[in-house]
Amino acid sequence: MLNKALLCLVTFAASVNILNYGGVPMGVQAQYLLGLGIGDITGPVVETNMMGYASLGQTDTGLHMRQRSRAWIVADASNSSNRVVFINADIAMGDTGIRRSIVSQLSSEFPGLYTNENIALVSTHQHSGVGGYLENLLPQITALGYVKQTADAIVAGTVLAVRRAHANLAPGKLSLGNTTVLNANINRSPSAYLANPAEERARYQFDQDKDLSLLRFDDASGNPRGFLSFFAVHGTSLYENNTLVSGDNKGMAAYLYEAMVEPSAMPGNNTFVAGFTQSNVGDTSPNTEGAFCESPGQPWDGQPCEFEHSTCGNKTEDCHGRGPGFRISDFESNRLIAQAQVDGAKTLMSQTLPAVSGPIQWVHTYMNMSFRSFTLPNGTTVQTCPPAMGFSFAGGTTDGPGAFDFIQGDNSSNPQNPFWEIVKGAVTPLPSPEQVQCQSPKPILLNTGFAHSPYEWSPSTVDIQMLRVGNLVMLIIPGELTTMAGRRLREAVRTKLISSGIIGDDAYVVIAGPANTYAHYVTTREEYAVQRYEGASTIFGPNTLDSYIDKYTSLLPFLAPNASGSPSSDPAPQDQTSKAISLQTAVILDNAPIGESFGRVIADVQTTSPYHAGDTVVAQFVGANPRNNLRLEDTFLTVDRLVNGDWQAFRSDSHPSTKFQWLRTNTILGFSTVNVSWTIEDGTPCESMFQFLLVCLLTRSQPDRTVFLITAMPNHCLAPFLPSSDTRPPLRPHDDSQRLIPPVANMNSSY
Ligand SMILES: *[C@@H]1O[C@H](CO)[C@@H](O)[C@H](O)[C@H]1NC(C)=O
Ligand SMILES: *[C@@H]1O[C@H](CO)[C@@H](O)[C@H](O)[C@H]1NC(C)=O
Ligand SMILES: *[C@@H]1O[C@H](CO)[C@@H](O)[C@H](O)[C@H]1NC(C)=O
Ligand SMILES: *[C@@H]1O[C@H](CO)[C@@H](O)[C@H](O)[C@H]1NC(C)=O
Ligand SMILES: *[C@@H]1O[C@H](CO)[C@@H](O)[C@H](O)[C@H]1NC(C)=O
Ligand SMILES: *[C@@H]1O[C@H](CO)[C@@H](O)[C@H](O)[C@H]1NC(C)=O
Ligand SMILES: *[C@@H]1O[C@H](CO)[C@@H](O)[C@H](O)[C@H]1NC(C)=O
Ligand SMILES: *[C@@H]1O[C@H](CO)[C@@H](O)[C@H](O)[C@H]1NC(C)=O
Ligand SMILES: *[C@@H]1O[C@H](CO)[C@@H](O)[C@H](O)[C@H]1NC(C)=O
Ligand SMILES: *[C@@H]1O[C@H](CO)[C@@H](O)[C@H](O)[C@H]1NC(C)=O
């Protein structure tokens, strides 16, 4: 079987080469093998700090939408060993430890095919996902250390996404284009952007990149299978006070697009894979209405924040960005920013885009940024510095003010953060004069590059990686480049690709990140001097961007088709997870009150007045701790619909119309409640019966599934509910081995 499949493939590839004369792509040319996959990576949705805002108070209390990894494999049909894997994970940032585990699993499962060099782990940079997974200490502080359960879920779901993509590799075509998306981002640090030279700024119409670039994946007959798009906008549509795990605007955009293509597929069970990838995100904000003071009782309440420092009455705390839906909610803003990106992608998917042809290449190396010396194009030798965060880092941004504010005044007798109490001694030594000079003009708040105890606070060594597919070069970046930093890097790379003859005038360069390692921000030298949040978080000093430009451009010969060997590399960063401290307590007590059972209905749905599309149906159950079982690739709840006497799952916990909210009601006895809600969508069929099901919350003994409601959505959805009584049809039998989304069998290589 396997040999036959391979044989067919080789024959097919040979005939393609004959068709493809003179480098001009023909109508049915299929130079590539393409694979697309998706996997659930949602960690513990309660009692765990969320990742992105670094806010101690942002502990998750339930689920809005599951986080997913999506994977795209592109292989050269004429030599399928030449392949790259692009992973877009719906998490806040890539991480060295997560990537190490993913690479290790994939390279042992598919020896020689997927390696440390050709796997790119890119994040959507969302701020509403589960935290604690990063291996360096600084981003763990608000999570009270490392949360292995989160990391394991991300690794398992990402490996599954790649395995699924591998299993459906098939001949196909790629094409590439861009469009303008005007209403989805603004610059949140315009005063820093203005520090860039006037003549440079004059070359651009906007202080943000408004282009959405899209790589389209078609099967051999030209039917779309998915796409990868690149657009820069922070995943901060959902605010810091949201505690339901979600995907922010990129995760929402992917859901909206995939649900549009396959409306009846359960989220995550789709075959069309929509990729909304992050780009030079550093100074972008989705809060497009600008930042305003929320200072009740003060004269400046409702006024725009002060321009240079984003303050209200000299304080950062009250200054908040507003999204386009702010009059309704941050969830509405999130939907609108997602939709704007979806519309951009739709515009491109409805056109015939220029075909992509040419070789698959990749290059990966490690670069140690501590005191790295290199020569600028003007001949001056400069160096980067060991990592340090400036004072403005603690000020946060208009998307999430006052990050890490617990650092100030945390000398009360009752410290808020026990993890900080353990580790804070490691940053107190004053920075050396050499470090102060190197990082100047940054005033150093946290000298993390010299904090190695109990383990590394910040990475000193970063991943440098590029993937090439024909004329497209994807720069996989370990940080958040600002708009102008991204433009400088892209331009330097493109200019050199063309001048050295590696790619012709059609060379197309995109940025994807923060990816692989999280090395915080990258501003231009001029923006660095302003030391807003982005400059304060540019951890390797003023020459950080130039060091990246130097390194990425020097590696371009490895993207030439005649390239051989691999570049020299600094040592890979050492594993930190084996030393990790974790103060998150396990689930110790989890009980239903005496006489109750898990899943019993506490408050049934209100049936006194009719529901309309747009209304929310809510019920409350006796809960159990969802940390007991993450139900990956599955759901904590379903909204079932009665069809011809059979209950069918209609909505899952990953539909944005449903919410799963968990509340610990008694810490000593371990009681909890769960609220399940569903906001009825437009177009929901009338005269249908629905039931809510809370599925198997526990791995413990009690049965824990209960139907609580059967009701009708009557004509025009206006008449009252059927009385809730024994006219209810019987329960849908629930079998835990029947997962919502069937797992794929472990595939050994087929292509
Ligand atoms: C196929 O590509 C791999 C990886 O680049 C290379 O090592 C091998 O020599 C190539 N095989 C052929 C027949 O060109
Ligand atoms: C968009 O595509 C056009 C045509 O290929 C190209 O000239 C332009 O540089 C692209 N824009 C970006 C931002 O890459
Ligand atoms: C969440 O924060 C935003 C921005 O500060 C604020 O407008 C909103 O009222 C807050 N929501 C809740 C539920 O506190
Ligand atoms: C903010 O600081 C400035 C300069 O220190 C001062 O003049 C002003 O009165 C302060 N404003 C408020 C509201 O405290
Ligand atoms: C990085 O470089 C610095 C300065 O040369 C050196 O002290 C440090 O040991 C290096 N780190 C690693 C992991 O090699
Ligand atoms: C080269 O550029 C750097 C950074 O802009 C600057 O500090 C330095 O003075 C320049 N050197 C020369 C010789 O112009
Ligand atoms: C922290 O300690 C300093 C010096 O002991 C004291 O002046 C300050 O008031 C304390 N801050 C808090 C929030 O307790
Ligand atoms: C690869 O080809 C380019 C352009 O044709 C040439 O300049 C370069 O020397 C070649 N490199 C190798 C390693 O053969
Ligand atoms: C949960 O449901 C109960 C009963 O309907 C309601 O009183 C409560 O406000 C809900 N809680 C949340 C967080 O929605
Ligand atoms: C998932 O998709 C497959 C293939 O389209 C389908 O057979 C299966 O019923 C779907 N599962 C669910 C739960 O929708």
Side-chain angles (χ1 to χ4, degrees):
M1 274 288 280
L2 191 64
N3 285 345
K4 236 187 207 164
L6 262 175
L7 200 68
C8 293
L9 180 68
V10 170
T11 319
F12 183 77
S15 62
V16 163
N17 280 344
I18 294 163
L19 285 173
N20 184 7
Y21 52 86
V24 181
M26 297 289 292
V28 289
Q29 178 245 19
Q31 188 193 350
Y32 301 113
L33 300 174
L34 307 176
L36 301 85
I38 182 166
D40 183 353
I41 58 170
T42 315
V45 300
V46 304
E47 299 186 313
T48 310
N49 191 237
M50 296 167 80
M51 190 63 220
Y53 288 114
S55 164
L56 189 59
Q58 200 193 15
T59 298
D60 55 13
T61 60
L63 184 60
H64 175 233
M65 289 170 71
R66 284 181 177 267
Q67 298 170 252
R68 314 240 175 223
S69 273
R70 292 172 171 81
W72 292 258
I73 300 173
V74 184
D76 190 338
S78 62
N79 177 353
S80 76
S81 303
N82 285 328
R83 62 175 71 197
V84 291
V85 188
F86 187 105
I87 296 160
N88 193 37
D90 194 2
I91 54 179
M93 57 276 296
D95 171 63
T96 325
I98 294 286
R99 182 170 185 275
R100 188 185 299 111
S101 303
I102 291 168
V103 167
S104 144
Q105 287 192 27
L106 289 174
S107 58
S108 63
E109 192 170 327
F110 304 99
L113 288 182
Y114 306 117
T115 66
N116 194 40
E117 278 67 47
N118 66 5
I119 299 171
L121 174 65
V122 182
S123 74
T124 60
H125 197 48
Q126 62 120 309
H127 289 52
S128 52
V130 189
Y133 66 89
L134 286 101
E135 75 169 357
N136 289 109
L137 191 144
L138 182 65
Q140 293 175 2
I141 291 177
T142 52
L144 309 186
Y146 184 63
V147 182
K148 187 169 184 297
Q149 198 179 19
T150 312
D152 289 349
I154 297 170
V155 171
T158 303
V159 167
L160 183 57
V162 176
R163 200 181 282 148
R164 285 175 168 150
H166 181 89
N168 66 35
L169 271 168
K173 302 189 291 185
L174 297 171
S175 52
L176 176 67
N178 65 49
T179 189
T180 305
V181 176
L182 286 180
N183 49 352
N185 64 12
I186 61 161
N187 195 310
R188 70 183 187 188
S189 284
S191 60
Y193 180 88
L194 285 173
N196 293 309
E199 59 279 15
E200 184 183 35
R201 284 185 284 117
R203 293 175 50 209
Y204 302 97
Q205 190 183 352
F206 299 106
D207 62 0
Q208 293 278 271
D209 285 339
K210 303 287 184 187
D211 313 85
L212 181 141
S213 298
L214 182 141
L215 180 67
R216 171 177 168 144
F217 286 61
D218 283 333
D219 68 13
S221 325
N223 303 310
R225 295 186 62 198
F227 60 82
L228 251 181
S229 70
F230 303 83
F231 180 77
V233 58
H234 250 92
T236 47
S237 286
L238 299 180
Y239 290 135
E240 190 171 347
N241 55 9
N242 163 54
T243 55
L244 296 181
V245 168
S246 192
D248 213 273
N249 61 62
K250 298 270 182 197
M252 178 62 108
Y255 165 78
L256 289 174
Y257 208 107
E258 290 168 353
M260 179 182 75
V261 177
E262 292 167 88
S264 54
M266 280 291 164
N269 195 33
N270 41 295
T271 55
F272 184 97
V273 182
F276 290 88
T277 291
Q278 196 50 273
S279 194
N280 44 329
V281 62
D283 51 3
T284 65
S285 172
N287 291 319
T288 50
E289 304 299 302
F292 293 85
C293 297
E294 291 178 9
S295 315
Q298 299 293 347
W300 54 82
D301 184 35
Q303 301 294 308
C305 309
E306 190 270 331
F307 181 73
E308 307 260 327
H309 306 97
S310 301
T311 50
C312 299
N314 294 340
K315 291 194 312 196
T316 58
E317 288 89 323
D318 293 351
C319 174
H320 291 274
R322 284 180 182 170
F326 81 97
R327 283 194 178 81
I328 299 171
S329 70
D330 51 349
F331 281 83
E332 178 63 3
S333 296
N334 188 50
R335 192 186 64 76
L336 291 168
I337 298 294
Q339 190 62 47
Q341 295 173 77
V342 166
D343 291 345
K346 261 162 78 176
T347 302
L348 290 164
M349 291 298 281
S350 65
Q351 297 169 5
T352 303
L353 304 174
V356 170
S357 63
I360 309 287
Q361 307 276 145
W362 62 92
V363 62
H364 175 276
T365 190
Y366 293 107
M367 173 161 75
N368 179 351
M369 294 288 272
S370 285
F371 297 125
R372 175 177 186 258
S373 269
F374 65 99
T375 307
L376 292 172
N378 70 6
T380 303
T381 297
V382 292
Q383 64 178 5
T384 53
C385 334
M389 321 291 311
F391 270 88
S392 301
F393 168 69
T397 71
T398 53
D399 291 335
F404 285 84
D405 55 4
F406 61 90
I407 286 168
Q408 291 145 41
D410 197 14
N411 55 355
S412 58
S413 57
N414 190 10
Q416 294 175 57
N417 186 327
F419 186 70
W420 177 247
E421 291 303 306
I422 294 176
V423 302
K424 67 180 181 187
V427 279
T428 43
L430 287 175
S432 65
E434 187 189 22
Q435 170 77 328
V436 169
Q437 172 63 32
C438 188
Q439 292 276 359
S440 169
K442 180 197 284 172
I444 296 174
L445 171 69
L446 296 175
N447 194 23
T448 55
F450 293 84
H452 311 294
S453 169
Y455 40 101
E456 297 295 330
W457 281 55
S458 292
S460 296
T461 300
V462 296
D463 292 73
I464 304 294
Q465 188 178 38
M466 289 183 274
L467 307 182
R468 172 183 178 187
V469 175
N471 63 323
L472 174 67
V473 171
M474 294 172 265
L475 308 178
I476 313 297
I477 308 280
E480 307 180 43
L481 272 72
T482 60
T483 303
M484 198 60 99
R487 288 168 178 168
R488 287 187 194 172
L489 176 63
R490 280 199 309 256
E491 185 169 31
V493 166
R494 186 167 181 275
T495 303
K496 187 160 175 203
L497 281 169
I498 297 170
S499 68
S500 55
I502 297 168
I503 303 185
D505 285 345
D506 63 344
Y508 198 109
V509 181
V510 294
I511 283 169
N516 294 337
T517 304
Y518 187 54
H520 299 261
Y521 281 74
V522 183
T523 62
T524 65
R525 177 187 308 282
E526 295 83 354
E527 292 162 353
Y528 185 87
V530 177
Q531 283 292 304
R532 276 181 62 96
Y533 176 84
E534 295 82 13
S537 305
T538 296
I539 59 176
F540 303 117
N543 297 307
T544 304
L545 172 63
D546 287 314
S547 175
Y548 284 125
I549 292 176
D550 174 69
K551 194 65 175 183
Y552 280 87
T553 53
S554 77
L555 292 173
L556 292 177
F558 289 95
L559 298 185
N562 60 355
S564 60
S566 19
S568 65
S569 178
D570 289 328
Q574 282 182 352
D575 172 63
Q576 306 295 311
T577 59
S578 57
K579 292 173 254 176
I581 298 177
S582 185
L583 298 187
Q584 192 196 36
T585 44
V587 179
I588 296 164
L589 273 174
D590 206 22
N591 291 309
I594 292 168
E596 302 274 8
S597 57
F598 291 113
R600 195 190 68 83
V601 177
I602 300 171
D604 209 333
V605 165
Q606 292 284 342
T607 53
T608 46
S609 52
Y611 287 87
H612 312 78
D615 289 348
T616 298
V617 193
V618 189
Q620 191 176 39
F621 298 84
V622 175
N625 194 320
R627 285 163 65 200
N628 288 307
N629 181 346
L630 302 181
R631 303 195 64 78
L632 289 167
E633 299 293 320
D634 210 330
T635 184
F636 288 119
L637 63 96
T638 62
V639 180
D640 286 359
R641 184 180 168 215
L642 194 62
V643 181
N644 302 327
D646 283 333
W647 288 113
Q648 293 176 358
F650 182 67
R651 294 287 175 260
S652 73
D653 65 13
S654 207
H655 281 93
S657 56
T658 64
K659 284 179 182 160
F660 172 88
Q661 289 165 286
W662 183 85
L663 184 68
R664 170 66 78 210
T665 50
N666 188 318
T667 315
I668 296 169
L669 300 173
F671 303 157
S672 61
T673 60
V674 165
N675 278 24
V676 172
S677 70
W678 172 42
T679 301
I680 301 164
E681 291 106 332
D682 269 342
T684 299
C686 292
E687 286 186 351
S688 299
M689 288 201 177
F690 292 92
Q691 70 177 1
F692 279 3
L693 213 58
L694 185 68
V695 282
C696 239
L697 269 179
L698 277 187
T699 51
R700 297 158 79 112
S701 53
Q702 286 92 339
D704 48 13
R705 52 181 297 279
T706 308
V707 62
F708 75 92
L709 167 75
I710 302 162
T711 188
M713 302 298 286
N715 269 334
H716 313 296
C717 303
L718 277 172
F721 280 99
L722 289 180
S724 88
S725 71
D726 291 339
T727 55
R728 301 170 182 213
L731 279 176
R732 172 157 67 94
H734 182 78
D735 173 1
D736 204 34
S737 64
Q738 298 278 300
R739 318 203 49 182
L740 199 56
I741 301 164
V744 215
N746 251 16
M747 296 283 303
N748 282 321
S749 61
S750 53
Y751 283 115

